[in-house]
Amino acid sequence: MTDALVIGAGPAGLMAAEELARAGRRVLVTEAKPSVARKLLMAGKSGLNLTKDEPPAMFTKHTSGGGPALFEALKSFGPEEVKDWARNLGQEVFTGSSGRVFPDAMKASPLLRAWLLRLADLGVEFRTRWRWVGLDDGMQFETPEGVVTLNPKVTVLALGGASWSRLGSDGTWAQMLSGKGVTLAPFKPANMGFCVNWSDHMKPHFGVPVKGTALLVNGQTTRGEYVISEKGLEGGGIYAISAAVRDGADLKIDLLPDWPLEKIAARLSGPRGKTSVSNHLRKALKLEGVKRALLMEFGNPLPDGAALASLIKALPVPHAGPRPIDEAISTAGGVRFEAMDENLMLNALPGVFCAGEMLDWEAPTGGYLITTCLATGRHAGRAAARWSQG
């Protein structure tokens, strides 16, 4: 028996469990995988980016698709609150030159260990390898001991999106909720790479980072590093513009963003004699390595003069669409905000709340994802505690 049930042990679920426990509820957290917070630990392998150090109004502008409840959650638990929360777990943080905030330890494991100890002190219990399979006559789970049905007073669902299924976010919950009248937006990849059918000419550049270019989408210019992979284009710079390109915007690359068009045209107008085009680009513009390779890949046959200068400033990128959804860092789509009230409780299922990436919102990498998951988990957990009292 339990007062409160939390299904899903990622950041949103753990935060909801903490709020419920602080309100005096007996809390059980179930997780389908053998251990908790697997995606958080994976995110922390290259440095756990907890949040972005910027004013709340600017922070929320990077989140799209969310309803008023999401923005209310971020209003009360934004970047400053996330930093304080980490410090209260004994994890000091620092802000990098880009404004991204990391724990001093960089990894996720010290923070997670401290958090789980605090939850244990609050009486939160965990069951792993419990997969949620139904909600008729209670919450049903497939467990190592067989099928178990729970009837808690209140439930928070924090089941993740539909990417990285091997870490637990497989989106299989969507069919169960839609069968109960919960309206959902279709899942779409977010923060993902794009497929490019490279010629053999590009093979020597697989794995090479592209620095010092700008990405042009919908009249906006974005600077950021990305990588040439065997499958296409990936990395932070690409993720920042991935939503717009996924939804149909053209992608172009400015190979020399610090050079005005006129300067490039003037440099190219000089005589090249018997010098090859490739060497002329290297000598006149210092266009070398992977930048020159991208120009040859996407621009051949290269035009002359002013047309070539224009191509260097806005090189079209023909791609074959986003990488598969399971490879995406996150997903858009999920439970629509109109399917819930202002407390993130499902209209069709009173007493059942939702939090985290399973909600229909998206944001770029850079701390926005984790912060929003924590904020919605806190919002749903506090609301669930109040509802169970009433």
Side-chain angles (χ1 to χ4, degrees):
M1 298 298 295
T2 184
D3 292 331
L5 172 66
V6 177
I7 306 178
L14 296 180
M15 185 61 86
E18 180 169 347
E19 294 300 329
L20 283 158
R22 288 189 182 283
R25 307 296 176 269
R26 291 176 299 166
V27 183
L28 176 66
V29 178
T30 65
E31 168 58 45
K33 293 296 181 179
S35 58
V36 306
R38 289 190 162 198
K39 198 170 181 180
L40 179 71
L41 290 170
M42 177 64 75
K45 279 196 169 182
S46 57
L48 182 64
N49 185 188
L50 285 170
T51 192
K52 185 75 175 289
D53 191 3
E54 58 190 17
M58 184 182 299
F59 187 93
T60 55
K61 282 183 179 179
H62 290 89
T63 303
S64 60
L70 183 142
F71 297 110
E72 184 62 31
L74 284 171
K75 182 179 177 182
S76 60
F77 197 79
E80 288 301 318
E81 289 77 15
V82 170
K83 289 189 285 185
D84 289 341
W85 167 79
R87 293 186 186 108
N88 287 334
L89 285 169
Q91 304 301 306
E92 288 299 322
V93 298
F94 71 94
T95 301
S97 58
S98 65
R100 297 184 178 197
V101 177
F102 300 86
D104 284 354
M106 289 298 287
K107 304 299 184 183
S109 50
L111 183 144
L112 179 61
R113 284 195 298 269
W115 198 5
L116 293 177
L117 284 172
R118 185 159 77 185
L119 291 172
D121 288 343
L122 290 168
V124 176
E125 295 186 30
F126 288 85
R127 299 289 184 273
T128 55
R129 295 188 174 90
W130 278 39
R131 174 170 291 278
W132 184 46
V133 293
L135 64 165
D136 294 316
D137 301 321
M139 296 293 180
Q140 289 126 27
F141 297 86
E142 289 180 352
T143 80
E145 291 74 36
V147 176
V148 173
T149 300
L150 300 178
N151 288 282
K153 295 177 181 177
V154 67
T155 299
V156 177
L157 304 178
L159 294 155
S163 65
W164 291 72
S165 58
R166 67 188 179 88
L167 300 180
S169 299
D170 57 16
T172 55
W173 52 264
Q175 187 174 357
M176 285 190 283
L177 291 187
S178 63
K180 293 296 183 180
V182 178
T183 55
L184 306 174
F187 288 121
K188 297 187 289 186
N191 294 297
M192 68 292 178
F194 287 86
C195 303
V196 179
N197 298 316
W198 301 115
S199 69
D200 290 342
H201 153 78
M202 291 299 293
K203 284 184 178 179
H205 302 282
F206 291 168
V208 174
V210 183
K211 303 178 181 181
T213 71
L215 300 171
L216 312 177
V217 178
N218 286 339
Q220 302 292 316
T221 299
T222 301
R223 302 285 289 262
E225 187 176 319
Y226 49 98
V227 175
I228 306 294
S229 76
E230 182 179 357
K231 298 175 181 179
L233 294 169
E234 304 188 33
I238 293 294
Y239 302 155
I241 49 84
S242 61
V245 177
R246 176 200 66 205
D247 293 341
D250 292 332
L251 171 61
K252 297 180 180 180
I253 301 174
D254 183 347
L255 294 170
L256 294 173
D258 298 322
W259 288 43
L261 177 64
E262 295 77 13
K263 180 179 177 180
I264 297 172
R267 290 289 184 90
L268 290 173
S269 65
R272 68 180 176 94
K274 295 181 180 180
T275 305
S276 68
V277 174
S278 181
N279 279 333
H280 186 51
L281 290 168
R282 178 177 58 81
K283 291 180 178 180
L285 304 177
K286 302 188 186 309
L287 196 66
E288 299 182 281
V290 69
K291 291 185 184 181
R292 191 172 62 197
L294 286 169
L295 178 62
M296 305 299 285
E297 177 76 3
F298 295 140
N300 266 332
L302 295 181
D304 294 322
L308 178 55
S310 296
L311 187 65
I312 290 169
K313 292 296 290 181
L315 178 67
V317 178
H319 61 83
R323 295 296 305 158
I325 194 168
D326 195 46
E327 295 179 14
I329 290 177
S330 59
T331 51
V335 178
R336 294 186 183 275
F337 280 84
E338 55 264 35
M340 301 174 288
D341 67 11
E342 68 278 8
N343 295 313
L344 300 177
M345 185 172 74
L346 292 170
N347 300 325
L349 296 168
V352 179
F353 296 75
C354 297
E357 199 183 330
M358 68 182 295
L359 307 178
D360 181 23
W361 61 278
E362 64 178 308
T365 57
Y368 303 102
L369 294 170
I370 291 179
T371 293
T372 306
C373 286
L374 292 170
T376 55
R378 178 177 180 270
H379 189 79
R382 290 188 168 191
R386 293 193 301 270
W387 193 88
S388 65
Q389 277 186 317

